[in-house]
Amino acid sequence: MTPEPRRAETAASPVTARLQGVGFGYADAPDVLRGIDLTLPRGSFHFLTGPSGAGKSTLLKLLTLAERPTTGRITLFGQDATEAPRALLPAFRRRIGTVFQDFRLLDHLSAFDNAALPLRLAGDRDHAADVEEMLRWVGLGRRMDARPPTLSGGEKQRLAIARAVLARPELIIADEPTGSVDKAMAEKLLRLFQTLNRQGTTLLIASHDETLARRSGAAVLRLDQGRLETVR
Amino acid sequence: MTASRSRSSLLPRDAAGEPWLAAVIAVLCFLACLAAVGGAAADRAAHGWAGRLRAEATVQVRPRAGESGDTAAARAAETLSGVDGVAEAEALDRKAAEALLRPWLGDAILPDLAIPMLVAVRLDPDAPASAPTLSRALAQAGLDASVDDHSQWRGEVQGAAALITALAAAAFLLVAGAAGAAVVYAARAGLAANRAVVETLSLNGATDGFIAGQFMRRYGLLAAGSGLIGAGSAAALMTGLRLLGGSEGLTPALPVAWSDLILLSPVPLVAATVAVVAAHLAVMRDLGPRALGPGDRGR
């Protein structure tokens, strides 16, 4: 059975995220993204596909407020986040669960503490049972005390996913979340994402796996040479 | 099991040469303790000297015509013995006066020298008679005499003690400042060494205050431990001095008292406070609005 992550009580906006005319470029380099318009309604499920270097990760970084757009406007949960001051970023980020392509696990913490991190940062002290249940569900029940350097690539990926979904964020952004797991686990994780989506979570998943994207039943976006188009 | 997991620090252990920082802070705290104890000892010594000077006065008697010096001095001593605030007055005969001058003048010149007639006065330490009171009593007895209550020396000793105390306080503040600067440097190095950790915390919803709190706790505890070691070492040294040298320590110039140990007790707390404030300032400065996470808009 899929575990039931908890969700914080927050004011809901009909649109979880909106990008209007967003462009992004690093200094002295061609723009990575140009004129991106994207709306993620609340409870929607999108796959983002495209070749390597198309700008998928950059687009996700803009949505997690890890980068600011060069041009355009980003609205999250009904609030303009384009130039949100640093003090306001934690409030946005606590409503977003992110699976990073490089996992971004803390090597000095156990798998349990890594998974529990967003809950701990949000001040939730009564999370042990939920964390253990989620770790068991992603197949890390016997690895709860293991440090990330001792985990395999697939285990790290599952741990990163557990961390992203445990606090039951309103928006889940995942960068290649099934890139390091076997097909069976990829299917299992897809079912987790579908369950979360049915419960109202908005999802945007960047993936090379177009077969998985098709089977998900989610809307599919394609990013190529900095331009975004809807495939399905 | 799970409760202990969640209490683990969110910063890696020894991320930025913390053993070295601990050693530096311990040494600085040791020096601060020496400065504090030295200042207190100097103040105590000066008060002792000033107190002794305050309890003594010297009267020089000039015999009138037809009266010998010894007679005038004896009369002055008798007069002064009856004054309130005087414990004892003793006329110094010529032999005693020569003994006082011999170390400076030698034997050769003394027999030909007109030595002043002196009266040594020991005053009541609780309510000493003042110089004007003594002068008045001598004048009323028809004696021509001048009174030296050592007030000039006392002022100079007290001034020197105040200067030494101020220097000790300045040394203490300088050492505290150096400890703070060391923590600022270490906190910034720690922040740079843990940039990936800090970014991960930030991207998972940690506020800057929370991240700063992690560093403040880390360096505060470290400084408290180092302060304990530094103060403990100073206390051990002080105990050794007290046991070896008694109440005067190793020199009467710096008398050590057991009560000085109380001065050392707040040092760990002061070190921790300095470290916490320094870490807070350093981290919040480096986590400024444009320091981490989102870059600037535009290029």
Side-chain angles (χ1 to χ4, degrees), chain A residues 47-122:
Chain A
F47 260 82
L48 178 64
T49 63
S52 291
K56 298 192 295 294
S57 295
T58 302
L59 182 57
L60 300 192
K61 280 181 184 172
L62 292 174
L63 282 166
T64 57
L65 306 178
E67 297 284 0
R68 290 191 198 273
T70 313
T71 57
R73 183 160 298 281
I74 296 176
T75 308
L76 290 173
F77 314 111
Q79 298 172 64
D80 189 348
T82 317
E83 293 186 77
R86 186 174 169 83
L88 291 184
L89 300 185
F92 281 113
R93 287 171 176 164
R94 286 180 187 178
R95 299 169 76 174
I96 304 171
T98 310
V99 182
F100 301 97
Q101 192 170 20
D102 56 358
F103 313 132
R104 282 185 177 262
L105 300 171
L106 300 179
D107 287 349
H108 61 288
L109 296 184
S110 66
F112 178 95
D113 281 336
N114 266 287
L117 184 63
L119 294 169
R120 189 172 165 184
L121 293 175

Side-chain angles (χ1 to χ4, degrees), chain B residues 11-66:
Chain B
L11 295 177
R13 277 184 188 282
D14 186 23
E18 284 166 21
W20 286 105
L21 178 66
V24 167
I25 292 178
V27 169
L28 290 173
C29 287
F30 178 74
L31 294 175
C33 289
L34 292 191
V37 170
D43 187 60
R44 186 178 302 113
H47 273 92
W49 296 333
R52 281 199 289 275
L53 287 172
R54 203 168 63 131
E56 290 173 358
T58 305
V59 176
Q60 184 185 346
V61 184
R62 288 174 288 276
R64 294 180 183 263

